[in-house]
Amino acid sequence: MNSDTLIIDRSLSLKDQSPFIIIQDSFAQSSRFLVDEIIYKSASVISHKIYLSFETFSKPPFINEEKDLFVDCLGLDGDTDQGLAKILIPIKEFMRKIIPNSQLSHFNESPKITTNASIVETLANSTSSDSKILIIIDTLNYLEGHQISKFAADLMRIHPNFVILSTLHSSIPESGSSNPYYPSKSNLLTYIATTIFDISFHHPNNSNGDASDFDDEYLHDQYYKKFMVPQGLNRPQSNQIKLSKFKKSGKKIELQFLLDSQTHEFSLYDPDAALQARESAVVVEGDESLLKDLSTFNLSTSDKQKQARNQVELPYLDAQKFQDGGAIVYQFEKDDDYDEEDPYEDPF
Amino acid sequence: MGTRQKQDLTIFNDNSVICPQLLDSKIFHPFTGLITSVEGTSPIWLINTLIEELLFGKCRLNSSVSSHHHNTSLSKKLDRQVTYISLSNNLSYYSYYFKKLTSIDLTTQQDRFQFINCFDDLFTKILKDGDISEESVVKNLFETHILKNIAPSNNRIIFIDGLEFLVSASNVKPITMVKFLHNLQKSCQGLFLISSVDEELIDFAENNDRLIEHRITQFYSYMIHKSNFVVNARPLSTGRADDISGNLRISKGMVGLDWLLKHPQPNNLQVLEKEYLFLVKKDFTVDLFYK
């Protein structure tokens, strides 16, 4: 495992210190596959899960009735400021329940704790466990930009071991803010988030040059112009993910990888190399197909011949070694009649 | 088209139109299906087929026997309730086509078919004095006229047709409509959203929430991100034809069916993605062909 795959692995298994993770998805590939994968890989470091749902009131199967918490946020009017405050109440109650008995008794012994702020502080101080509590928010699209930053801050204040994993659907149009200079949600989140996963659909046959109907133009035309959903999208093995990690030093790491959430395997992905491979595959296939069955002679090129052809160093490659613009490279041959006294004879 | 073989309509990989497992509240949470169409390609035959399938457990579309025999085979009654909420037509419209398709009168099925008419008196009686403010729509239409009239039941499937009409006809925000759907879904085991898409109004670049283009695009997008499966009915892109009425595409929605499972157990139920050509004949019966 090299350093890049190690970073990806640590990001998926939540072993890094990254308290606010954003997944940006679209209609073509849902974030749910990645959420499933993170839950699977981080099982050893996560003690409890809290699912904050805006899109559904149905508890997903990975939320355990006793160990975890599910909050129907839209049912609590979670799109309003008052509703967001209401969401915090069950979370705080749940935290009171899951704190170990000794710490809980310490919490109960304190008679002065009456306000929410002081409860929060006590809870934060009373835990010494290293295990993390994962908060999954199914979408931030229902919140305004200013609500997101406040809500995230309120959640983080409840417990220092919270890790927030939240989705933003990029294929839902965002309403403009009353302040024209206020950043869009996706812009704002790049400042707040410590890790961003940008997920898109990866066609399984892309590397073979078969983009079929799934090129970006086709997808764009179907959804953004006709509101039709193309078939074959949203597959667990088709996650193409761009990982952006923001370090405390201000350094940003960007990596791209492909993830199969069924087999739980991932591999690094270089989009430029993939594009090049695709283009060359198309050209070679085109040439070869023209020659096929044309005559009884063998007109095709074998892989070994192609390799040998690529290794031939052509003269114009030498010319590119000069850094000062154009140059003429001339190699004298034995029959050349070179006159040293003639100024016009010198090719340089 | 005469030489092509007629196909059955299937939405799920167990070759069912609506999988009985999905209707079992012990196994699955309530599902959301989205049916979209454009002007000129009405999905009324599809809606009627779904109602027929839910009420009688089978549908004439997938039956090879003649209509007379089929009538008797439909006599089996299931313990299911269908509620149909319409903002685009009244009961006589649906029952007329249902009778043409199945020879059964929907108005005689009142014990298990409920129709909530939000079409005839919307701006006169339901929204009193034609008040189209958000408060009025939420209180008078959503709460009083619809939600209060639906008794929550695990056997209930709800269809809501033409909700997008409110985006242009009232001041209700798309998110308020989504919240209404959220509450509506709590009364049932499945929700079908039937929506007519006006492609001229789809504009993802617009962000002004006063403009209908932005509001309607946002509403459509919210719905698709909530849905478990999507059925798109569209006319042929090549123009009108005598032997084909349109194209029907069944695709997965943004929420996989595995997320609807009540308990973490292996379940292979999936949406069967397919594309059909459909022909609505003069007697209102429909033939389907694989594309």
Side-chain angles (χ1 to χ4, degrees), chain B residues 3 6 68 103 185 188 239:
Chain B
T3 54
K6 192 185 151 204
H68 291 291
S103 312
Q185 205 170 19
C188 63

Side-chain angles (χ1 to χ4, degrees), chain A residues 72 175-176 222 229 231-232, chain B residues 182 207 214 220 249 251 273-274:
Chain A
D72 170 13
S175 297
Q222 290 286 297
V229 183
Q231 293 174 321
Chain B
H182 189 81
N207 71 351
H214 173 69
Y220 289 148
R249 181 190 287 174
S251 327
E273 294 196 316
K274 267 188 190 173

Side-chain angles (χ1 to χ4, degrees), chain A residues 62-250:
Chain A
F62 54 75
I63 293 294
N64 187 293
E65 198 83 49
E66 291 161 4
K67 256 177 74 182
D68 305 327
L69 173 71
F70 176 85
V71 184
D72 170 13
C73 297
L74 207 57
L76 294 171
D77 290 327
D79 58 313
T80 61
D81 291 342
Q82 297 86 342
L84 283 174
K86 279 190 220 165
I87 294 168
L88 298 176
I89 297 169
I91 300 175
K92 287 173 185 170
E93 278 175 12
F94 176 72
M95 290 306 296
R96 262 187 231 131
K97 266 192 228 167
I98 63 169
I99 280 182
N101 282 340
S102 56
Q103 292 171 13
L104 195 61
S105 58
H106 163 71
F107 168 76
N108 287 336
E109 276 165 18
S110 173
K112 287 179 186 171
I113 300 167
T114 48
T115 63
N116 281 347
S118 55
I119 290 170
V120 167
E121 208 172 306
T122 309
L123 279 172
N125 294 334
S126 62
T127 182
S128 59
S129 169
D130 285 339
S131 59
K132 294 174 181 174
I133 294 155
L134 181 64
I135 299 190
I136 305 157
I137 307 176
D138 64 355
T139 178
L140 287 173
N141 288 76
Y142 290 17
L143 303 183
E144 301 285 335
H146 69 275
Q147 288 176 321
I148 292 175
S149 45
K150 186 178 178 302
F151 186 52
D154 285 345
L155 284 174
M156 299 307 286
R157 268 199 292 273
I158 295 181
H159 201 285
N161 287 7
F162 274 177
V163 176
I164 301 174
L165 176 66
S166 178
T167 296
L168 183 75
H169 303 305
S170 58
S171 44
I172 294 182
E174 187 183 330
S175 297
S177 168
S178 52
N179 178 355
Y181 302 107
Y182 201 78
S184 68
K185 270 181 230 174
S186 53
N187 268 343
L188 180 77
L189 287 169
T190 56
Y191 294 108
I192 306 173
T194 46
T195 303
I196 297 177
F197 290 101
D198 246 310
I199 184 164
S200 54
F201 176 76
H202 177 78
H203 193 275
N205 294 330
N206 257 356
S207 54
N208 297 332
D210 178 19
S212 68
D213 290 336
F214 294 97
D215 57 4
D216 287 344
E217 199 179 331
Y218 174 79
L219 295 181
H220 191 277
D221 180 67
Q222 290 286 297
Y223 181 80
Y224 292 103
K225 289 185 182 164
K226 296 178 179 163
F227 197 65
M228 285 180 80
V229 183
Q231 293 174 321
L233 300 174
N234 282 300
R235 299 181 194 172
Q237 63 273 37
S238 303
N239 299 294
Q240 184 179 322
I241 300 165
K242 184 176 155 197
L243 165 68
S244 308
K245 243 179 141 52
F246 303 92
K247 295 210 156 186
K248 276 182 184 170
S249 59

Side-chain angles (χ1 to χ4, degrees), chain B residues 45-246:
Chain B
W45 62 271
L46 176 66
I47 296 164
N48 282 332
T49 299
L50 292 170
I51 295 173
E52 188 189 11
E53 177 77 21
L54 287 163
L55 293 180
F56 301 99
K58 52 177 75 178
C59 57
R60 181 172 166 176
L61 186 71
N62 289 355
S63 175
S64 54
V65 293
S66 70
S67 58
H68 291 291
H69 289 102
H70 185 59
N71 246 350
T72 50
S73 69
L74 275 182
S75 59
K76 184 188 164 197
K77 280 191 177 184
L78 297 166
D79 185 22
R80 288 184 194 141
Q81 305 279 324
V82 170
T83 297
Y84 202 99
I85 305 160
S86 181
L87 285 94
S88 54
N89 283 294
N90 53 23
L91 178 60
S92 58
Y93 171 81
Y94 296 99
S95 59
Y96 174 77
Y97 285 104
F98 194 81
K99 199 168 184 178
K100 287 275 181 192
L101 189 76
T102 64
S103 312
I104 295 169
D105 189 355
L106 264 183
T107 53
T108 61
Q109 304 289 324
Q110 283 168 351
D111 54 333
R112 57 211 181 111
F113 181 79
Q114 177 191 19
F115 188 83
I116 299 181
N117 186 345
C118 304
F119 173 69
D120 285 337
D121 300 321
L122 180 62
F123 296 108
T124 48
K125 291 179 187 165
I126 302 169
L127 299 175
K128 285 168 189 120
D129 305 324
D131 184 357
I132 55 165
S133 66
E134 181 162 86
E135 296 73 28
S136 162
V137 173
V138 171
K139 188 168 172 281
N140 298 319
L141 177 65
F142 292 166
E143 290 174 7
T144 311
H145 193 69
I146 299 176
L147 291 171
K148 273 191 185 169
N149 286 313
I150 300 172
S153 164
N154 289 336
N155 296 328
R156 188 181 301 283
I157 304 296
I158 298 179
F159 291 73
I160 183 158
D161 187 352
L163 191 64
E164 75 284 350
F165 171 65
L166 290 176
V167 176
S168 48
S170 76
N171 295 331
V172 68
K173 288 185 206 143
I175 190 140
T176 310
M177 288 158 61
V178 175
K179 269 161 90 172
F180 159 65
L181 292 174
H182 189 81
N183 291 328
L184 188 64
Q185 205 170 19
K186 290 178 182 171
S187 318
C188 63
Q189 179 59 19
L191 180 66
F192 282 99
L193 306 166
I194 299 148
S195 190
S196 173
V197 172
D198 187 346
E199 289 176 9
E200 294 295 314
L201 291 178
I202 301 174
D203 188 354
F204 279 84
E206 186 56 67
N207 71 351
N208 185 346
D209 57 9
R210 287 183 191 164
L211 294 180
I212 184 172
E213 285 87 349
H214 173 69
R215 284 147 48 99
I216 201 107
T217 309
Q218 203 176 37
F219 177 63
Y220 289 148
S221 320
Y222 279 141
M223 289 202 299
I224 208 159
H225 281 80
K226 276 176 77 73
S227 61
N228 306 111
F229 57 93
V230 183
V231 184
N232 298 130
R234 295 289 188 278
L236 287 180
S237 53
T238 46
R240 195 192 162 280
D242 284 339
D243 52 0
I244 290 296
S245 310

